[in-house]
Amino acid sequence: MRQRLTRVLAIALVAGVTVASGAGAAWAKTEFRLSNQLPPSHHISKGLLLFAGKVKEYSKGAVEVKLFDSGQLFKDTEIVEDCKKGWSSPGSCR
C-alpha cells in the first residue's frame, strides 16, 4: 500500500512540475526540501527516501527531493507556521 502511494505521489509531483514548466521546455534543475521528524531508520523515512529516488528517476534528474530527517530543518511545531508564512528560508515550503 505504501509503495503504491509513494509511486502515485512521485508521478503526481513530476506531472505537476512538467505542467508548470511548460511541458516540453528544457527543465532547469528543481529542488524540493522535505522535512521529516522521524529518524532515518523509521519505515516512513525509508518510504520518503524511496519517493525521492523515484522522483529523480522519473524526472531524469531534473527534479530532486532532499530529505531532512530527525527534525533537521524544523521542529514539528514549526513546519506549519513556516508554510503559512511562505518564508524562503533554507527549509521553506517553497
Side-chain angles (χ1 to χ4, degrees):
M1 180 71 168
R2 285 201 171 117
Q3 264 189 336
R4 183 174 179 202
L5 178 60
T6 302
R7 278 192 210 140
V8 169
L9 289 173
I11 291 168
L13 179 64
V14 171
V17 171
T18 301
V19 170
S21 69
W27 290 2
K29 186 160 183 160
T30 303
E31 181 181 290
F32 292 94
R33 291 175 295 266
L34 183 58
S35 182
N36 178 13
Q37 304 307 310
L38 302 168
S41 60
H42 195 275
H43 66 277
I44 292 177
S45 297
K46 290 178 181 179
L48 292 173
L49 186 61
L50 176 67
F51 169 75
K54 291 295 181 181
V55 168
K56 190 170 187 174
E57 175 188 339
Y58 293 159
S59 70
K60 296 184 173 114
V63 179
E64 186 174 350
V65 177
K66 289 194 172 188
L67 300 175
F68 295 90
D69 295 311
S70 304
Q72 291 175 348
L73 291 180
F74 301 105
K75 296 177 192 168
D76 57 352
T77 56
E78 296 173 335
I79 294 173
V80 174
E81 287 303 315
D82 185 55
C83 288
K84 284 180 185 177
K85 292 176 184 175
W87 291 347
S88 57
S89 63
S92 141
C93 297
R94 291 183 188 189

